[in-house]
Amino acid sequence: MIIIQIAGFLGSGKTTLMIRIGKAMSEKGKKVVIIVNEVGEVGVDGDVLAQQGLRTLEISEGCICCSLSGTLQNTLRKVKQEYSPDIILLEPTGLALPNRINSLIRTSMVEPEMTRTVALVDAFRVDDLLANTRQFFIRQVEHADVLALNKVDVIGEDRLLDIERTLEEVLPDAKAVRISAKTGEGVEALVRLLNI
Amino acid sequence: MTIDDTPQEEDSKEMAHAGSAGVEWDLTWESGLTEEEMRQRLEEWLTLISKELIGAGPMLGHIKAIFKCKDGWMRVNLVDPRLKMDVDGDLKGAVQGGRMKVMAALVGKNDEQVMDGLLKGTGTFLKGQDSNVRIIRTTKKDNIIRMEGLM
């Protein structure tokens, strides 16, 4: 069993990428289960993923990296026991800290063969995020296995190069890839980088 | 990858200075809506909520909604007023009613402020609509009373 965490700030495109990767893996014959977490009681993403025909479990009313950490570990054990999936795709809230979630996975006793973390960065809004919530933004993306620069379909090449230079300064060790979760551009390259 | 030693009781939402709120409604329209008319109304609804929440400032968060009925579903996602909203779904025939969930999460606002913007934007939207609305649930029970005053 492999666990892939698709993390990133609010509105960075996590659900759209989950749908694309979930469908692609299912078409390859993999048994995929999605665990999605929403910060509020009224969850939207679980419904969206389920409408796409993907097996989805929703955890709401809190964050799996802090207030619902025990719920995450219980859910991982339950999913492993009841569904025996090849892949668990995990979508935390846009306010979660992925590194904490990885710590929780390590101590959850589900013993995945591999855990991968993708940090999605909203290329269109990255300047606003760095200007207004820099410390939190960096904490969200700093330990990811792959940094996926999303929404490249709405940004010109010069601007993208500027953003990539900025990210290199902020996160010099990051392995980055350009994607558009909406159009599918770069998603195959991202999956190859994950080595799953 | 390093192990994060931060205590789990540190709340990441508080750390981000963010607030969130959501509401679930049952909606009915007196006249049936086409898929395109439904899309226009949902976009207008989220735009009005966005204006209440951020005015002309940057949106450090998102507003999203899903409408479901017996004839299909539609999702609308607003992450930046400078970009077109993401809309997808599959609605067939003339839609006369269904269930709608709207949620918003934003940095720089608390839960109450987000709920307030969500309800004020909705109140503006509902003026002039030939629709009936019944709240199913909100993230804050006391907001039900305030919402009923808008209808």
Side-chain angles (χ1 to χ4, degrees):
Chain A
M1 184 178 80
I2 297 168
I3 300 178
I4 304 169
Q5 181 184 180
I6 310 284
F9 191 70
L10 301 162
S12 57
K14 296 184 291 298
T15 307
T16 308
L17 183 60
M18 293 284 272
I19 291 168
R20 210 166 266 287
I21 293 179
K23 282 185 170 177
M25 294 295 154
S26 296
E27 282 164 12
K28 285 183 180 174
K30 303 283 187 189
K31 197 193 283 187
V32 178
V33 174
I34 292 174
I35 300 174
V36 60
N37 178 214
E38 290 242 48
V39 72
E41 185 188 336
V42 179
V44 170
D45 292 342
D47 282 351
V48 172
L49 289 158
Q51 292 293 337
Q52 301 288 336
L54 296 162
R55 190 187 296 271
T56 305
L57 295 172
E58 186 175 78
I59 301 173
S60 56
E61 296 185 62
C63 177
I64 54 174
C65 85
C66 42
S67 60
L68 298 178
S69 55
T71 307
L72 170 65
Q73 293 183 314
N74 289 336
T75 305
L76 287 170
R77 286 193 287 270
K78 183 181 170 188
V79 166
K80 184 181 180 184
Q81 193 176 1
E82 293 185 9
Y83 302 105
S84 301
D86 300 307
I87 297 171
I88 294 177
L89 292 174
L90 183 59
E91 180 186 338
T93 77
L95 299 170
L97 296 172
N99 207 34
R100 280 192 192 172
I101 292 171
N102 285 327
S103 298
L104 292 164
I105 292 169
R106 279 194 287 273
T107 55
S108 65
M109 297 185 294
V110 293
E111 294 171 3
E113 295 158 42
M114 191 191 292
T115 303
R116 290 282 183 266
T117 302
V118 176
L120 269 183
V121 174
D122 181 341
F124 191 80
R125 296 191 299 173
V126 68
D127 288 342
D128 286 337
L129 296 176
L130 282 167
N132 292 285
T133 180
R134 184 184 183 91
Q135 196 181 356
F136 188 80
F137 171 81
I138 292 170
R139 279 198 72 179
Q140 268 200 321
V141 301
E142 63 186 346
H143 296 298
D145 297 297
V146 179
L147 206 60
L149 194 58
N150 192 22
K151 306 185 188 178
V152 298
D153 55 307
V154 293
I155 296 178
E157 180 63 23
D158 289 348
R159 180 81 193 97
L160 277 170
L161 289 169
D162 280 346
I163 294 166
E164 284 169 340
R165 274 192 290 270
T166 302
L167 288 175
E168 275 170 23
E169 286 168 18
V170 177
L171 302 157
D173 300 326
K175 188 162 51 172
V177 60
R178 292 180 183 185
I179 70 161
S180 167
K182 191 173 177 180
T183 67
E185 179 186 346
V187 175
E188 273 186 38
L190 167 64
V191 173
R192 278 198 301 274
L193 270 178
L194 291 172
N195 201 22
I196 50 177
Chain B
M1 193 172 289
T2 57
I3 292 175
D4 186 354
D5 292 319
T6 312
Q8 303 305 321
E9 54 267 25
E10 191 183 17
D11 189 294
S12 64
K13 186 175 160 185
E14 283 176 15
M15 197 188 302
H17 306 290
S20 64
V23 184
E24 188 169 358
W25 288 279
D26 271 346
L27 296 168
T28 54
W29 274 274
E30 287 168 17
S31 53
L33 301 180
T34 64
E35 187 173 32
E36 176 59 20
E37 287 169 335
M38 191 70 198
R39 184 188 63 76
Q40 286 172 5
R41 292 197 189 201
L42 296 185
E43 285 190 355
E44 183 191 349
W45 191 345
L46 264 60
T47 300
L48 289 167
I49 291 171
S50 159
K51 282 180 180 166
E52 288 292 340
L53 284 169
I54 62 161
M59 181 174 286
L60 302 170
H62 61 168
I63 306 166
K64 55 190 174 181
I66 185 165
F67 174 82
K68 290 195 293 184
C69 64
K70 62 180 173 56
D71 298 314
W73 62 284
M74 181 172 281
R75 168 184 76 143
V76 186
N77 196 12
L78 172 57
V79 294
D80 193 302
R82 295 169 294 178
L83 287 175
K84 275 177 67 177
M85 284 185 220
D86 281 332
V87 183
D88 56 13
D90 181 22
L91 279 176
K92 293 177 182 69
V95 177
Q96 290 196 298
R99 184 158 291 187
M100 175 87 171
K101 286 183 186 177
V102 181
M103 82 83 68
L106 289 168
V107 165
K109 304 274 183 193
N110 61 35
D111 290 355
E112 287 70 28
Q113 288 171 320
V114 177
M115 179 61 89
D116 206 43
L118 208 156
L119 294 178
K120 279 184 182 164
T122 298
T124 308
F125 170 75
L126 289 174
K127 285 176 195 165
Q129 294 283 325
D130 57 343
S131 59
N132 294 305
V133 178
R134 183 169 69 89
I135 285 182
I136 302 301
R137 61 186 171 135
T138 73
T139 49
K140 294 271 185 289
K141 279 184 183 169
D142 59 345
N143 281 298
I144 292 175
I145 298 161
R146 290 156 60 194
M147 188 63 207
E148 281 171 346
L150 293 169
M151 289 183 286

